[in-house]
């Protein structure tokens, strides 16, 4: 059995927001990027069975822009989460293919810690907005998840997508 993780940073957000960071919305580029990444995932057969996301406004809007109609959990614990928190939340999942949506810097570090071999892409290390890594794990249950065991199936950033 294999479990698949689609690890995504939220799309580009607006810095012209006067409220708290948690409520910051996407900007115009962000609203364009999320559907592009959703289309890229669909075209490659990388559709999630479930979505696990930060509850921030920009992650909710990114999630909506992807256009997947699957069970979705928005968790406050994933807002600006560190890799250990993301790891714990993922290990509790039950779906075979999970899309996890979060924030930097934690998501970039988490991606780097999960993969066995890094993708050959200069932007993997800084994980720009809406960067997405698809990785497979040879496990039967997410509770068996281990660092350094993810086999990368794809990596994309919106600026490189048609």
């Amino acid at each position: 059995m294999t479990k698949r993780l689609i690890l995504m940073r939220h799309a580009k957000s607006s810095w012209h927001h006067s409220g708290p960071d948690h409520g910051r919305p996407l900007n115009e580029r962000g609203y364009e990027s999320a559907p592009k990444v959703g289309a890229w995932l669909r075209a490659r057969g990388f559709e999630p069975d479930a979505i696990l996301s930060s509850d921030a406004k920009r992650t909710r809007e990114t999630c909506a822009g992807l256009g997947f109609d699957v069970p979705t959990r928005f968790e406050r614990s994933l807002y600006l989460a560190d890799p250990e928190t993301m790891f714990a939340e993922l290990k509790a999942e039950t779906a075979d293919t999970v899309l996890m949506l979060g924030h930097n810097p934690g998501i970039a570090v988490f991606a780097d810690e999960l993969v066995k071999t890094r993708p050959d892409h200069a932007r993997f290390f800084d994980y720009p907005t809406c960067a997405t890594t698809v990785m497979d794990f040879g496990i039967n249950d997410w509770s068996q998840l281990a660092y350094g065991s993810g086999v990368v199936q794809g990596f994309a950033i919106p600026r490189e997508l048609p």
Side-chain angles (χ1 to χ4, degrees):
M1 187 74 178
T2 300
K3 298 290 186 188
R4 175 168 283 164
L5 174 63
I6 303 164
L7 192 62
M8 182 183 296
R9 183 179 174 196
H10 64 80
K12 188 80 173 156
S13 59
S14 173
W15 288 101
H16 301 292
H17 173 71
S18 60
D21 179 73
H22 188 269
R24 211 160 26 98
L26 296 182
N27 67 13
E28 186 175 325
R29 196 170 101 204
Y31 287 116
E32 294 169 2
S33 296
K36 279 181 161 181
V37 175
W40 177 81
L41 290 168
R42 279 183 197 80
R44 284 153 184 77
F46 297 147
E47 296 186 41
D49 299 317
I51 298 173
L52 178 59
S53 176
S54 158
D55 69 345
K57 183 168 186 167
R58 58 193 178 272
T59 51
R60 287 178 180 272
E61 290 180 342
T62 301
C63 185
L66 296 170
F68 294 113
D69 186 19
V70 297
T72 302
R73 281 193 307 129
F74 294 101
E75 297 291 337
R76 181 65 178 217
S77 63
L78 291 175
Y79 172 63
L80 303 177
D82 59 30
E84 293 76 26
T85 301
M86 288 184 268
F87 190 77
E89 288 284 355
L90 185 56
K91 285 183 80 166
E93 273 300 313
T94 59
D96 288 334
T97 300
V98 175
L99 188 154
M100 181 179 263
L101 189 52
H103 309 265
N104 256 356
I107 203 143
V109 175
F110 191 45
D112 189 50
E113 289 178 347
L114 283 176
V115 299
K116 183 182 291 186
T117 304
R118 295 174 185 105
D120 186 20
H121 195 289
R123 299 302 308 269
F124 180 73
F125 291 101
D126 66 334
Y127 229 77
T129 52
C130 224
T132 302
T133 306
V134 179
M135 57 190 97
D136 287 347
F137 299 88
I139 56 177
N140 294 318
D141 190 273
W142 285 109
S143 65
Q144 300 168 319
L145 184 65
Y147 287 116
S149 63
V151 177
V152 175
Q153 301 301 313
F155 177 78
I157 60 173
R159 285 183 181 238
E160 296 175 353
L161 299 177

